[in-house]
């Protein structure tokens, strides 16, 4: 059975990314910015998560 959702809040590292990929949730909801906006997963991290079939939802920083 595939987990439905993971909500992640806190610091980000490659080991956390790898643990999320290993559990293969359908969705990952981040309470931090992601991609090129900084503070969370890098663009490369998001690409790896998506390649593993994880749909990533995250806060997008709009410049204050």
């Amino acid at each position: 059975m595939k987990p439905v959702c993971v909500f992640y809040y806190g610091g980000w590292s490659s080991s956390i990314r790898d643990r999320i990929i290993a559990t293969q949730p359908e969705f990952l909801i981040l309470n931090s910015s992601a991609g090129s906006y900084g503070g969370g997963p890098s663009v490369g991290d998001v690409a790896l998560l998506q390649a593993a079939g994880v749909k990533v939802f995250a806060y997008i920083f709009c410049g204050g």
Side-chain angles (χ1 to χ4, degrees):
M1 178 183 286
K2 188 170 187 169
V4 175
C5 176
V6 171
F7 180 85
Y8 182 75
Y9 178 79
W12 187 262
S13 69
S14 59
S15 64
I16 291 169
R17 178 204 61 215
D18 294 343
R19 288 190 317 187
I20 292 169
I21 289 172
T23 60
Q24 295 190 333
E26 185 173 355
F27 301 103
L28 172 63
I29 302 167
L30 299 167
N31 191 22
S32 63
S33 56
S36 60
Y37 302 98
S42 69
V43 172
D45 288 334
V46 172
L48 289 170
L49 289 161
Q50 290 175 331
V54 180
K55 296 172 185 77
V56 179
F57 297 90
Y59 165 76
I60 298 175
F61 179 69
C62 295

